[in-house]
Amino acid sequence: MRPGVGARLRAEPALALAIAILWVLIALFIVYPIAMLLARVFVEDGHFTLTGIAAVLTDRHQVVAFWNSLLLGTLVGVIGTAFGFIFAFAATRCRLSPTLIRLIDVAVLLPLVSPPFTMAIGYIFSFGARGLITYDLLGIKGAGVYGMTSTMTAEAATYFPIAYLALRPMIAAIDSNIEGMALSLGASRWRVFRTVTLPLCIPGLANSFLLLFAASLADFATPLILAGNQFPVLPTQAFLQITGLFDLRGGAALSLMLLVPALLVFVAQRYWVGRGHYVTVTGKGAGQAPFDSVTPVARWTLVSLCVAVTLFIVYLYVLLLYASLVVAFGANEAFTLQHYRVVFTEGLRVLGDTLIIAAIATPLGGFYGVLLGYLVARKRFVGRTTMEITSMVNYALPGTIVGIGYLIAFNDPPIVLAGGALIIIACYVFRYGATGIRTTIAMMQQLDRSLEEASESLGASSSTTFRRVTLPLILPAFFAGLGVMFIRSMTAISATIFVVSLSWTLVTVKILENMTELALGVAAAFSVVVVAIVFIVIFAIGRVLRRLRAAGASAVTGLLAT
Amino acid sequence: MKAGAHDAIGVSADRLSKRFTHAVKGEVYAARDVTIDVAPGEFLTLLGPSGCGKTTALRMIAGFEIPDGGRVVFGGQDVTLLPANQRGIGFVFQNYALFPHLSVFENVAYGLRVRGQAGGAIGTAVSDVLKLVGLAGYESQFPAQMSGGEQQRVALARAIVIRPRVLLFDEPLSNLDAKLRVEMRHEIRALQQRLAITTVYVTHDQEEAMAISDRIAVMQGGTIVQTGSAEDLYHRPATRFVAQFIGRANLIDARVHDAADGRIAVDALGHRFLLAHPRAGMAGGGNPRLLLRPEAISLAKVVGKTDELVGAVVSRSFLGEKIEYVVECAGEQLQVVRYNAGPDDLLPVQAKVALHFADDVAILVWDDEPKGHS
Ligand SMILES: Nc1ncnc2c1ncn2[C@@H]1O[C@H](COP(=O)(O)OP(=O)(O)OP(=O)(O)O)[C@@H](O)[C@H]1O
Ligand SMILES: [Mg+2]
């Protein structure tokens, strides 16, 4: 610490207080749960022990689950990145009509803002034993939908939009005149693509692979429904260990095996591809090339591929909608509203709980994100970088680890939060507030420092400056952060499934229950309602953002891809 | 908006230093032992080339940067560790730094609101100061709708409305066009005189510095090499750097000989000169050079005297009010400026000319500051 920094903080009590409070919160809701999780696995009777981990490592079934998780993550990473790239390339370089691009955008957005099972449910409706394609169309009896292929396909379809959203601004940012230049030098289009466009995209592709790998690694919902017994993966194994066998320590040890690959991804992103790389999707991102980057044949191939994938996603959602409106999909397809009646009667409490929790978590998380982002971007204090990195931990770790950590940390004294709404809210705020932190830091980097110094020179304290100058100017980041908080609060499950209780539960957990009770119609109806609510909120926030249209305003949906 | 000179306070920086960690060069001093003393109500300018540490020095005085060493004193009070918001300064930024989300009125009112002043008082103070900077009627405009000059006036109004004890400027005019720059610098000077606010001003433009300041501190490589009035710096530069940075200079290779009765003998341009100026008696580091300003040299017909300095016109530029010549004399290329005396006044290229200058306008300068001089 430089001499004087301490004196400064003393002269600015509000600043010092804010930093102190944030540290306490981070310690309590990020560091403490992880520490408790580690302690549960590695400490027995006050001694360090490896028996917890050894038990997992010697269990052949669990080791298989570990390798399965890595395999699935790799495949989803590669396939999803490939599709994301094709979509991004088509959107920026194939002169698609803006309407078509908008339709594609809305369609691929669906999986990102839906409860995590929706794709899997639709997949079962289509390819399951009674599936529209497998049973009705192909007449296959007792089709085995469960396994790696289904899981991988559903995950790739769910997560490739992340790659698309991350890659599109990147490709758009490549000055197409560079390609035009190469073309004018006599290179063929394919050669230009191979030697110019693709190499420039490599960091983006690597980044997108890591994002998808991490997303798949952490995905708990899709494998729970689609993987079946033949293809165990770690997140589901950990969940079953805890909820099925009541073996908290075993589950914790299993979840820790996710930690190593997750940390590797985190480090790789931060220090390798992620250096200052930040993705925002703005309206002007999808600029069109001023010349034909691709031959007509290639163009048609790409466009057809995109349209086909888009239609596939839309098809799954249509099936979902249809299933929510018939008595029993595949058996009795008479129209009914009974599933929605269930949602709005028995399900009303769950819906209410979810909305209340989202309504509390959203502003808290939004404010937390902006405040912490502002402080680490602008203020000098001890442990600033540590605070920034620590604040990302809950977001970077698979939800399973975070959820189990919360379960262990807050079930017993000294801090008992289990059974309440607070534990769920805290889980959301400190996990998904991270998006707001990153957006805020990115916006602060674009915001000229002299504005805040001007305020300071006019006599304003740090807190006044923040309130009256900084906050109004980074409002877009704040609203985008709010949007992400809300969407996640409505749709997340991997962490929160461990902290719901009889008195406070969530729609996503309810959907899972319905699935296991085979009340597929109700599950579908819940999913449709959640998607509808989320879309309305995204639309509203989009309106606000457009009114605030300031430089650097990023679309909510773009942030889901970070 | 009246502030008597009795309100004005002195500002001093005492051996201020600031290091930064540079990605390539490692630890570098952006400012090193910067010492200035600004008298109450005085207008002092920090002048120097890009990267010499002017901004860094000013920011330490403002309180935006904590010095690694040294002290800042405002009117006898040590404010080194006091945050900027408690120093009572007005700061005008190069990019204006107007709050884009606030109207002109609210921008100017900002500092008063922060001080918790009553609405009525704020209204009067803001409209008074806007009148003062010539922006009455602009209250409801937003910064984005204004020209650079107007924005700079808002920035100025915003800085002075709070009646700062010290006014600080960091290259406030460099984003304006040349004509407006000249106009604004007169306004800033007039306003500063009227309000009698102690002022530190940063610029890299020597003409601007000379036009606006009571005194100028010339910076080079993070340190102050000379402080003085514009005339001092121009006629008695402490170093070769100052001589070159302020105005234009002919720096001629010279050999120094001792001589009697306060004068020294200097060999240059193939002749021996006896220099009258006392500054010439002291020696700094490096080779001495004879400094001759272009306007100090006059050109005349060659008459053929033995001690006559004869040169040839190499090139000339006709600039209307004046003509700039390059004259070669004893292997040196000299710049010479002559005011235009009429249509027949032009000397042709290659013309042989005699060069004259008075003994007391030439002085010696060295690469470094002479020891014992400050
Ligand atoms: N925050 C910083 N971090 C690292 N180096 C810095 C920082 N601020 C200034 N420097 C370095 O310190 C030196 C002086 O910078 P300063 O901005 O004070 O120069 P200046 O005289 O104001 O230049 P200019 O006329 O271009 O504005 C430069 O070499 C600069 O690179
Ligand atoms: Mg500067």
Side-chain angles (χ1 to χ4, degrees):
Chain A
M1 184 164 94
R2 242 180 287 234
V5 177
R8 284 275 165 120
L9 288 183
R10 272 194 297 283
E12 293 251 41
L15 177 62
L17 188 68
I19 292 169
I21 291 177
L22 282 176
W23 267 126
V24 170
L25 290 174
I26 286 175
L28 191 59
F29 290 110
I30 296 179
V31 179
Y32 177 63
I34 303 292
M36 290 301 281
L37 175 75
L38 291 172
R40 178 64 65 106
V41 176
F42 289 110
V43 180
E44 208 168 18
D45 304 327
H47 295 289
F48 176 78
T49 170
L50 285 174
T51 53
I53 284 290
V56 173
L57 288 178
T58 51
D59 185 335
R60 229 188 60 79
H61 195 60
Q62 312 295 27
V63 175
V64 167
F66 176 72
W67 289 116
N68 282 348
S69 276
L70 292 189
L71 177 66
L72 183 65
T74 310
L75 288 174
V76 170
V78 170
I79 296 171
T81 300
F83 274 96
F85 182 75
I86 289 170
F87 268 70
F89 189 80
T92 51
R93 290 290 194 266
C94 285
R95 297 180 182 241
L96 301 186
S97 80
T99 325
L100 184 58
I101 294 187
R102 213 164 305 135
L103 286 177
I104 290 180
D105 281 358
V106 172
V108 302
L109 194 61
L110 276 169
L112 284 184
V113 300
S114 309
F117 311 103
T118 22
M119 199 63 97
I121 303 175
Y123 203 83
I124 287 182
F125 287 146
S126 181
F127 301 105
R130 282 267 167 183
L132 184 64
I133 289 185
T134 36
Y135 183 80
D136 295 319
L137 220 59
L138 302 176
I140 303 171
K141 300 225 161 52
V145 65
Y146 304 103
M148 189 186 86
T149 318
S150 304
T151 314
M152 185 191 77
T153 314
E155 283 194 1
T158 307
Y159 296 125
F160 91 87
I162 294 180
Y164 168 52
L165 291 177
L167 286 169
R168 192 173 69 176
M170 173 134 206
I171 300 179
I174 296 174
D175 188 348
S176 52
N177 288 330
I178 299 176
E179 296 164 320
M181 178 71 190
L183 208 57
S184 74
L185 291 174
S188 71
R189 290 196 169 82
W190 170 241
R191 194 188 166 95
V192 170
F193 176 78
R194 221 166 17 93
T195 56
V196 179
T197 321
L198 201 56
L200 286 172
C201 291
I202 297 239
L205 291 172
N207 182 45
S208 131
F209 171 81
L210 292 175
L211 285 170
L212 264 54
F213 179 81
S216 164
L217 195 68
D219 189 1
F220 147 85
T222 314
L224 191 64
I225 300 203
L226 283 178
N229 298 328
Q230 299 310 306
F231 189 69
V233 292
L234 281 179
T236 44
Q237 289 304 106
F239 173 70
L240 296 173
Q241 197 81 13
I242 291 173
T243 54
L245 305 173
F246 301 104
D247 175 11
L248 196 53
R249 182 159 186 239
L254 273 172
S255 77
L256 273 189
M257 291 179 66
L258 281 174
L259 190 65
V260 178
L263 278 183
L264 286 181
V265 168
F266 181 63
V267 170
Q269 265 204 300
R270 196 177 163 85
Y271 297 102
W272 176 44
V273 287
R275 290 215 144 193
H277 173 74
Y278 185 78
V279 181
T280 50
V281 179
T282 54
K284 61 176 188 279
Q288 294 282 323
F291 65 97
D292 289 319
S293 309
V294 289
T295 59
V297 176
R299 180 172 183 270
W300 275 112
T301 317
L302 288 174
V303 173
S304 315
L305 208 56
C306 292
V307 170
V309 173
T310 310
L311 286 180
F312 176 66
I313 294 173
V314 172
Y315 155 75
L316 291 183
Y317 275 83
V318 169
L319 277 188
L320 189 78
L321 180 66
Y322 178 70
S324 75
L325 290 168
V326 298
V327 178
F329 185 86
N332 176 1
E333 307 206 342
F335 175 81
T336 176
L337 285 177
Q338 100 193 36
H339 304 312
Y340 286 96
R341 204 166 300 129
V342 173
V343 168
F344 288 109
T345 52
E346 294 162 41
L348 204 55
R349 200 181 68 90
V350 182
L351 218 48
D353 279 2
T354 309
L355 283 171
I356 290 172
I357 286 174
I360 299 173
T362 299
L364 285 181
F367 183 70
Y368 161 77
V370 165
L371 181 64
L372 198 147
Y374 165 75
L375 291 177
V376 301
R378 276 296 196 264
K379 295 293 164 185
R380 266 178 294 174
F381 54 91
V382 197
R384 188 173 56 118
T385 316
T386 317
M387 180 184 273
E388 186 199 335
I389 293 176
T390 318
S391 72
M392 291 292 145
V393 165
N394 275 9
Y395 186 61
L397 289 181
T400 309
I401 299 183
V402 178
I404 296 176
Y406 270 53
L407 179 63
I408 294 173
F410 301 120
N411 222 1
D412 303 309
I415 306 159
V416 183
L417 298 175
L422 183 61
I423 189 169
I424 306 177
I425 293 169
C427 186
Y428 281 148
V429 167
F430 294 96
R431 191 160 150 77
Y432 299 119
T435 322
I437 296 176
R438 286 212 277 190
T439 332
T440 307
I441 292 176
M443 277 205 87
M444 294 299 297
Q445 280 162 356
Q446 292 171 21
L447 192 70
D448 200 322
R449 220 191 164 103
S450 61
L451 288 175
E452 288 151 87
E453 285 170 351
S455 167
E456 206 188 329
S457 76
L458 292 167
S461 63
S462 280
S463 51
T464 309
T465 301
F466 177 67
R467 207 159 30 82
R468 305 205 25 191
V469 176
T470 320
L471 197 55
L473 292 175
I474 56 174
L475 223 47
F478 178 63
F479 276 99
L482 287 187
V484 171
M485 276 302 297
F486 184 81
I487 295 169
R488 301 295 197 192
S489 305
M490 291 299 294
T491 60
I493 187 164
S494 58
T496 30
I497 193 160
F498 294 99
V499 294
V500 292
S501 55
L502 286 177
S503 30
W504 287 94
T505 190
L506 298 168
V507 173
T508 44
V509 178
K510 189 73 187 169
I511 296 175
L512 182 63
E513 267 173 43
N514 288 323
M515 295 287 298
T516 46
E517 291 161 8
L518 292 178
L520 296 185
V522 179
F526 264 121
S527 303
V528 170
V529 170
V530 170
V531 171
I533 294 176
V534 167
F535 255 84
I536 291 169
V537 171
I538 291 183
F539 179 74
I541 290 183
R543 290 289 291 262
V544 176
L545 278 178
R546 225 163 298 136
R547 291 193 59 185
L548 293 172
R549 199 91 207 140
S554 38
V556 179
T557 49
L559 297 174
L560 291 168
T562 58
Chain B
M1 280 311 311
K2 263 174 268 140
H6 57 274
D7 295 328
I9 56 164
V11 169
S12 56
D14 179 23
R15 300 174 68 82
L16 283 182
S17 294
K18 181 79 190 173
R19 285 186 306 268
F20 286 115
T21 320
H22 190 277
V24 185
K25 293 182 258 178
E27 288 257 296
V28 288
Y29 275 94
R32 184 165 214 163
D33 292 337
V34 169
T35 300
I36 53 172
D37 263 299
V38 194
E42 190 184 20
F43 195 121
L44 182 128
T45 295
L46 292 175
L47 172 68
S50 182
C52 70
K54 309 179 292 287
T55 298
T56 306
L58 191 72
R59 289 170 59 83
M60 288 191 282
I61 296 172
F64 296 144
E65 231 44 273
I66 306 167
D68 293 321
R71 295 190 319 143
V72 180
V73 178
F74 280 14
Q77 181 200 1
D78 186 331
V79 296
T80 316
L81 292 179
L82 205 61
N85 57 19
Q86 293 164 29
R87 291 193 184 188
I89 54 165
F91 200 104
V92 180
F93 295 84
Q94 177 172 0
N95 61 359
Y96 323 133
L98 297 180
F99 306 128
H101 61 300
L102 299 181
S103 65
V104 167
F105 182 91
E106 285 303 327
N107 260 283
V108 178
Y110 188 91
L112 301 174
R113 292 209 191 285
V114 165
R115 285 167 171 67
Q117 293 201 359
I122 292 178
T124 336
V126 171
S127 56
D128 281 356
V129 76
L130 283 178
K131 222 173 286 159
L132 200 61
V133 298
L135 284 182
Y138 280 72
E139 282 82 353
S140 56
Q141 296 268 75
F142 277 81
Q145 307 165 328
M146 308 179 83
S147 74
E150 288 163 348
Q151 292 188 40
Q152 193 54 280
R153 283 166 214 259
V154 178
L156 190 59
R158 184 179 67 176
I160 58 178
V161 75
I162 57 170
R163 300 173 180 219
R165 299 193 294 168
V166 180
L167 204 45
L168 304 170
F169 293 86
D170 189 4
E171 311 221 16
L173 305 182
S174 57
N175 288 349
L176 304 179
D177 67 50
K179 195 155 170 268
L180 199 55
R181 221 159 33 218
V182 172
E183 206 177 298
M184 281 294 293
R185 79 185 182 212
H186 289 303
E187 285 184 33
I188 290 177
R189 176 59 171 170
L191 209 58
Q192 186 267 345
Q193 297 261 286
R194 178 158 164 196
L195 303 173
I197 305 177
T198 313
T199 299
V200 182
Y201 187 99
V202 161
T203 181
H204 63 266
D205 180 341
Q206 45 108 1
E207 189 186 301
E208 186 175 306
M210 290 168 58
I212 208 170
S213 327
D214 292 319
R215 277 190 309 146
I216 300 169
V218 181
M219 288 189 75
Q220 178 193 14
T223 55
I224 289 180
V225 284
Q226 189 176 7
T227 307
S229 66
E231 303 89 86
D232 269 345
L233 298 177
Y234 191 75
H235 293 303
R236 288 172 291 280
T239 69
R240 181 176 166 178
F241 171 80
V242 177
Q244 275 174 316
F245 197 75
I246 309 274
R248 294 198 298 153
N250 293 302
L251 290 162
I252 302 155
D253 260 336
R255 288 176 61 86
V256 180
H257 300 276
D258 287 325
D261 56 27
R263 300 186 156 228
I264 55 170
V266 172
D267 286 344
L269 299 170
H271 282 257
R272 172 157 296 195
F273 304 99
L274 282 177
L275 300 189
H277 202 277
R279 267 285 284 117
M282 291 167 287
N287 294 325
R289 302 262 170 168
L290 191 67
L291 167 66
L292 267 179
R293 298 291 184 187
E295 72 282 1
I297 304 175
S298 54
L299 301 177
K301 276 217 169 60
V302 180
V303 293
K305 282 203 291 189
T306 49
D307 62 344
E308 192 169 39
L309 264 179
V310 179
V313 175
V314 176
S315 65
R316 68 164 196 231
S317 322
F318 179 73
L319 299 176
E321 57 176 1
K322 61 188 177 185
I323 304 128
E324 293 182 355
Y325 293 96
V326 175
V327 177
E328 180 161 330
C329 174
E332 300 264 3
Q333 303 247 330
L334 303 179
Q335 312 171 56
V336 180
V337 173
R338 250 172 94 169
Y339 276 85
N340 190 354
D344 304 324
D345 190 41
L346 283 181
L347 293 167
V349 170
Q350 291 187 339
K352 287 260 181 282
V353 287
L355 295 88
H356 296 285
F357 55 88
D359 278 359
D360 58 352
V361 300
I363 66 162
L364 283 171
V365 290
W366 280 263
D367 289 347
D368 295 326
E369 195 170 352
K371 287 157 203 76
H373 181 83
S374 64

